[in-house]
């Protein structure tokens, strides 16, 4: 299946999480904190810490470690607090 990561087409395997696809593409940071813009990516990997938040199909605050990718997903980095588009 194919997904877009920050506008770039990427191949993903069925059953992969968004975090798995991002890490497989060599991307280790995809969120910046509201205060200070510090980079974040996977930390706990079980949906507890909120460090892996990403925007999927225009919906912010998606936990990349828990969300399975779907064909055609548009994934992009999240910078601070965002409202749904």
């Amino acid at each position: 299946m194919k997904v877009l990561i920050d506008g770039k087409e990427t191949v993903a395997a069925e059953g992969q999480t968004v975090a798995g696809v991002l890490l497989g593409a060599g991307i280790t940071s995809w969120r910046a904190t509201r205060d200070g813009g510090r980079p974040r990516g996977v930390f706990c990997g079980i949906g507890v810490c909120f460090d892996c938040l990403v925007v999927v199909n225009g919906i912010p605050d998606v936990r990349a470690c828990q969300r399975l990718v779907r064909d055609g997903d548009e994934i992009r980095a999240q910078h601070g607090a965002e409202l749904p588009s």
Side-chain angles (χ1 to χ4, degrees):
M1 72 179 71
K2 294 181 183 177
V3 298
L4 291 177
I5 299 176
D6 289 324
K8 182 180 176 186
E9 192 172 277
T10 306
V11 175
E14 188 173 339
Q16 262 188 311
T17 62
V18 170
V21 173
L22 291 165
L23 291 170
I27 303 167
T28 59
S29 173
W30 51 80
R31 180 178 85 83
T33 60
R34 282 186 293 209
D35 187 26
R38 293 179 303 272
R40 296 289 188 261
V42 169
F43 181 69
C44 75
I46 59 172
V48 175
C49 73
F50 298 94
D51 270 357
C52 68
L53 297 179
V54 68
V55 180
V56 179
N57 302 326
I59 301 170
D61 299 331
V62 175
R63 292 181 190 155
C65 69
Q66 293 188 322
R67 168 67 157 66
L68 297 179
V69 291
R70 297 181 190 114
D71 193 38
D73 275 347
E74 293 183 26
I75 302 160
R76 70 173 178 78
Q78 181 168 323
H79 302 285
E82 293 190 25
L83 296 174
S85 57

